[in-house]
Amino acid sequence: MLKIHLALSSAMTLALAAMAASGAHAEDAGPTEVESVVVTASSIAQRIQDAPASVSVVSAEDLQQRPIQDIVDALGRVEGVTLSRAGNQRTIQLRGLSSAYTLLMIDGKRVSSTNNMFRGNDYDAGWAPIEAIERVEVVRGPMSSLYGSDAIGGAVNIITKPVGKAWTGSVSADYTAQEHSQAGDSYKGGFYVSGPLVVDTLGLKVWGGYDRRSPDKGVNSSGLAGMPLQQETFVNGTLQWTPDEATDVTAQYGFSRSNHDHFIMKRRDFALTHKREWDFGESRLRFYGDKIENLTGNTTGEINPNNARNYALDARFTAPLGDNSLTVGAEHRWQDLEDPKLLAGWPGSPTAGKDTQADVRQWALFAENEWRITEDLRLTVGDRYDHHENFGGHHSPRAYLVYHLTPNISLRGGWSRAFRAPTLLQNSPNWGSVSCGSATTGCFIVGSTALKPETAESFEGGVRFDFDRWSGGITAFQNELKDMISISNRTRDPALAPGYPNFVGFLADGRPVFRYENIAKVRSKGIETSIAGDITETLSIRANYTYLKSEDRSSAAPIPLVYQPEHSANLTLDWRATETLSLYASANYIGRQYLAAYANPAFNIVQDAYTLFDIGGRYDLNPRLTVRAGVLNVTDKRIERTTSTEYNEDGRRF
């Protein structure tokens, strides 16, 4: 408990001191009307009704309604989003494709620590604390025409609160206690402060936080570990210089430290951005990057640190041309990785340890045009040409129509192609790692220069309605993914190994070696529905349902993809009982899903469907202080791991 008090007291002291020194008022600088405008679905900001994509927005109010550890908790309740829970790691999946095909961004800047932690990267969704977030935009469907590689499934853009024109700030503290004493409690504290240093010229925002989910102790009767330790520390600052009404220059620097099951990652990130409004359009020039240090490595029981650096320089210009809005842009990205253990070459070979660094560079040109054909019909077309130093050029086109049948009802649909280049590790022949369940008697996996980029083609169509008190829609989609990169073909048996198509040889100690290969063809299709509105003046409802069928179709008999429930649904009721008291009740239905799937279905592992219920509320003691309380998983539905592919579901919590 001492750690709890120290963490929360430190956050509160910093925030309150800053506000007091500035004469700040402690009102949340969260969004109001800006929530109806999205910036991730196209090259221009526009109303969500006009966006040329399927978009969901999770607001700051949504994030603050119930206690969540990070945005993964909240996004798991968005239509079209499923969570992979392998080994109790939680990662975001869009429309039946794994997290590797979801581009994560913070304020439009891509974030990825995959090269540092290739075995399972559940860090990227946690680099920003809830207190700093204004909203999260989830774009479902390929977005490679704008963002390039990694956006085959879609994009998640975490948008932080802006620099305020007046001093504002907030501080928060949460504690979640488990009913079952062997399960780990959670606690967090955070602050956000923003305001002008020089009125109308120079502004500042600073945010920080500390979160911890203590590890389970003896939860599983099977002996497998329960939920692991998860601990995050953040601090971040941004200076905004506005020399005139048309120019905006920002400089940002941040530090984050994450400890997931005693695998520790540090991230230092920066960004310099110049924006200007001209008489003939708007421009943005941005240079950003990060350095991510894996202080532990990738293998349990060993300490093999690595560090990666990612940099990007991008520019774009948007101009109105009559009934058109044209955006053109360019980007240059480069990555490098230093890993003395995994980039050392084959163990025992003459070149082992000679070169432990790898890097890759790529550039892109893109253009997107929104054509207002009539007052009610809009066509968005775009293409991005990416040139990768190892794979040459690749086009990612898309076309999308939005037709406003009435002022409140719109028909929409689109087509797109997308690609994903192999990661730095998958493509490096000098990279290798132990696998097949043992660091000494298993097998060895290596990168390959023979890999091809993965490609996808996607279609969607649907209808959306937006009335004064009700909004929602229904969308059908289908994705076809080809040349999926896989390392599933491997075995520790030296007699069987030469029969595998990706077998490349034996180590000196006799372990078989396998390379990554392009094998899988995946099809995902489904239907997403949602509705939200006010039943009465004080009672509102939000609900969504997703049907999803996602299969590996590489062989004659399709194999279902794992951690992809065929049915999922969410329901939340909000009751504004008084001006100061609001209550909610929610239900989260997770349908039947495969946790392991094979060509021989006799070996499949299935998790049956279940539903989780939460209740809670908030009470405003005064305009500056709110208290929140509730019960999570009211019916105490628990799941305990009995195999490594299964996951834990926390029981009742307060």
Side-chain angles (χ1 to χ4, degrees):
M1 291 298 291
L2 178 59
K3 291 182 179 179
I4 300 173
H5 292 306
L6 287 174
L8 301 184
S9 297
S10 298
M12 293 178 70
T13 301
L14 285 169
L16 294 176
M19 287 186 287
S22 311
H25 53 85
E27 295 176 357
D28 191 340
T32 53
E33 295 183 1
V34 72
E35 291 184 40
S36 63
V37 175
V38 294
V39 298
T40 312
S42 70
S43 57
I44 59 174
Q46 54 195 174
R47 299 186 313 158
I48 195 169
Q49 298 96 313
D50 301 324
S54 295
V55 189
S56 297
V57 177
V58 181
S59 67
E61 183 178 343
D62 296 331
L63 294 172
Q64 294 162 4
Q65 181 187 46
R66 57 190 296 271
I68 59 176
Q69 195 69 18
D70 54 36
I71 66 164
V72 177
D73 287 335
L75 297 188
R77 296 171 181 254
V78 173
E79 64 271 23
V81 179
T82 56
L83 301 183
S84 173
R85 302 280 291 273
N88 283 330
Q89 286 189 339
R90 302 169 309 128
T91 56
I92 298 166
Q93 306 173 130
L94 296 179
R95 288 188 170 174
L97 299 179
S98 75
S99 60
Y101 305 96
T102 299
L103 175 63
L104 277 163
M105 299 180 287
I106 299 177
D107 291 326
K109 303 182 290 289
R110 64 175 58 232
V111 178
S112 176
S113 51
T114 298
N115 288 330
N116 299 85
M117 183 62 74
F118 82 96
R119 290 191 186 278
N121 174 25
D122 62 343
Y123 293 83
D124 294 337
W127 291 126
I130 300 303
E131 289 74 19
I133 298 174
E134 179 185 75
R135 68 187 188 277
V136 182
E137 296 183 2
V138 182
V139 183
R140 303 180 300 280
M143 291 300 296
S144 291
S145 62
L146 277 180
Y147 303 112
S149 187
D150 304 332
I152 283 182
V156 175
N157 191 9
I158 303 169
I159 299 172
T160 62
K161 296 175 182 177
V163 176
K165 295 185 178 298
W167 279 102
T168 61
S170 62
V171 61
S172 66
D174 285 85
Y175 186 88
T176 302
Q178 299 270 2
E179 178 176 292
H180 304 277
S181 60
Q182 295 297 303
D185 292 349
S186 302
Y187 52 89
K188 57 189 293 188
F191 71 93
Y192 172 86
V193 181
S194 174
L197 299 175
V198 179
V199 176
D200 296 330
T201 303
L202 186 64
L204 169 72
K205 70 173 179 180
V206 179
W207 45 260
Y210 175 79
D211 304 346
R212 178 185 172 93
R213 200 282 184 190
S214 299
D216 292 344
K217 298 178 181 179
V219 170
N220 293 331
S221 57
S222 63
L224 290 172
M227 297 293 288
L229 167 70
Q230 185 167 324
Q231 185 172 285
E232 326 280 354
T233 305
F234 320 88
V235 64
N236 196 294
T238 298
L239 277 172
Q240 182 178 38
W241 178 44
T242 310
D244 55 61
E245 292 184 356
T247 308
D248 182 33
V249 181
T250 58
Q252 173 266 326
Y253 182 81
F255 170 82
S256 308
R257 184 182 190 274
S258 296
N259 182 343
H260 291 189
D261 199 17
H262 305 291
F263 287 89
I264 301 172
M265 303 267 273
K266 286 184 178 180
R267 178 175 183 258
R268 295 175 175 85
D269 64 290
F270 73 91
L272 296 171
T273 306
H274 178 278
K275 296 180 182 179
R276 182 170 176 83
E277 295 183 7
W278 308 86
D279 293 337
F280 46 86
E282 299 179 357
S283 65
R284 187 194 72 192
L285 178 64
R286 180 172 61 188
F287 176 54
Y288 69 94
D290 60 25
K291 178 180 180 181
I292 302 177
E293 299 173 86
N294 182 342
L295 304 184
T296 311
N298 282 272
T299 305
T300 301
E302 298 182 3
I303 304 297
N304 300 302
N306 62 49
N307 67 80
R309 288 171 291 273
N310 307 281
Y311 302 102
L313 176 65
D314 66 41
R316 65 170 55 185
F317 182 80
T318 301
L321 301 173
D323 293 327
N324 296 266
S325 180
L326 176 66
T327 299
V328 295
E331 181 184 50
H332 183 70
R333 290 196 287 128
W334 56 103
Q335 307 173 56
D336 67 70
L337 175 70
E338 177 71 23
D339 194 325
K341 176 68 174 180
L342 300 187
L343 279 170
W346 287 29
S349 67
T351 59
K354 298 295 184 181
D355 184 6
T356 61
Q357 188 269 344
D359 60 73
V360 67
R361 285 163 172 75
Q362 55 189 305
W363 56 267
L365 300 173
F366 64 89
E368 183 175 271
N369 183 69
E370 182 191 84
W371 180 24
R372 292 176 292 280
I373 301 173
T374 69
E375 186 176 345
D376 299 318
L377 181 62
R378 300 183 182 212
L379 171 65
T380 299
V381 293
D383 186 28
R384 179 181 172 111
Y385 176 78
D386 278 273
H387 188 276
H388 192 287
E389 67 172 283
N390 296 329
F391 304 106
H394 199 286
H395 283 276
S396 299
R398 76 160 172 159
Y400 207 97
L401 271 172
V402 177
Y403 175 60
H404 291 284
L405 188 64
T406 73
N408 305 108
I409 301 175
S410 60
L411 305 178
R412 51 190 54 235
W415 162 88
S416 60
R417 284 182 181 165
F419 90 108
R420 177 177 179 265
T423 67
L424 189 62
L425 301 182
Q426 292 169 340
N427 191 226
S428 173
N430 209 38
W431 176 85
S433 175
V434 298
S435 190
C436 297
S438 172
T440 56
T441 62
C443 63
F444 201 72
I445 57 177
V446 296
S448 171
T449 57
L451 291 174
K452 298 182 294 184
E454 300 164 290
T455 60
E457 188 168 22
S458 175
F459 300 88
E460 72 169 56
V463 59
R464 178 184 176 91
F465 63 89
D466 293 272
F467 295 94
D468 290 340
R469 297 176 58 175
W470 290 91
S471 64
I474 180 170
T475 301
F477 65 88
Q478 178 171 299
N479 296 319
E480 295 276 357
L481 177 64
K482 299 179 180 179
D483 294 322
M484 177 181 277
I485 297 171
S486 172
I487 194 65
S488 59
N489 283 331
R490 64 190 193 276
T491 178
R492 65 168 63 192
D493 189 330
L496 297 176
Y500 283 68
N502 59 330
F503 170 74
V504 293
F506 292 97
L507 297 180
D509 60 11
R511 282 180 290 169
V513 182
F514 303 89
R515 64 173 176 83
Y516 278 96
E517 59 180 338
N518 296 98
I519 59 168
K521 298 179 182 178
V522 168
R523 174 184 293 171
S524 66
K525 59 183 179 180
I527 298 174
E528 303 161 346
T529 66
S530 67
I531 188 170
D534 296 327
I535 299 173
T536 70
E537 293 295 331
T538 60
L539 183 64
S540 61
I541 184 174
R542 288 174 291 164
N544 63 65
Y545 163 76
T546 302
Y547 165 76
L548 175 65
K549 188 172 185 179
S550 190
E551 298 174 321
D552 180 344
R553 303 175 68 87
S554 305
S555 54
I559 301 173
L561 294 191
V562 297
Y563 305 106
Q564 304 287 359
E566 186 174 4
H567 304 279
S568 56
N570 298 278
L571 172 67
T572 299
L573 291 171
D574 291 292
W575 179 37
R576 297 174 294 280
T578 69
E579 291 185 359
T580 57
L581 175 64
S582 60
L583 304 171
Y584 77 89
S586 67
N588 175 213
Y589 174 80
I590 300 100
R592 184 176 182 269
Q593 60 185 305
Y594 290 88
L595 307 184
Y598 304 95
N600 184 349
F603 297 104
N604 291 351
I605 299 175
V606 175
Q607 171 62 56
D608 290 331
Y610 61 97
T611 304
L612 303 175
F613 298 93
D614 302 334
I615 58 172
R618 54 184 292 169
Y619 181 69
D620 298 326
L621 294 173
N622 59 53
R624 303 188 181 196
L625 182 60
T626 296
V627 176
R628 183 181 60 203
V631 183
L632 305 179
N633 195 353
V634 175
T635 59
D636 197 27
K637 170 61 180 177
R638 288 192 292 163
I639 298 175
E640 295 184 358
R641 297 170 72 196
T642 58
T643 69
S644 60
T645 60
E646 293 177 322
Y647 61 88
N648 284 74
E649 190 71 71
D650 277 326
R652 188 180 294 120
R653 309 182 298 288
F654 303 93

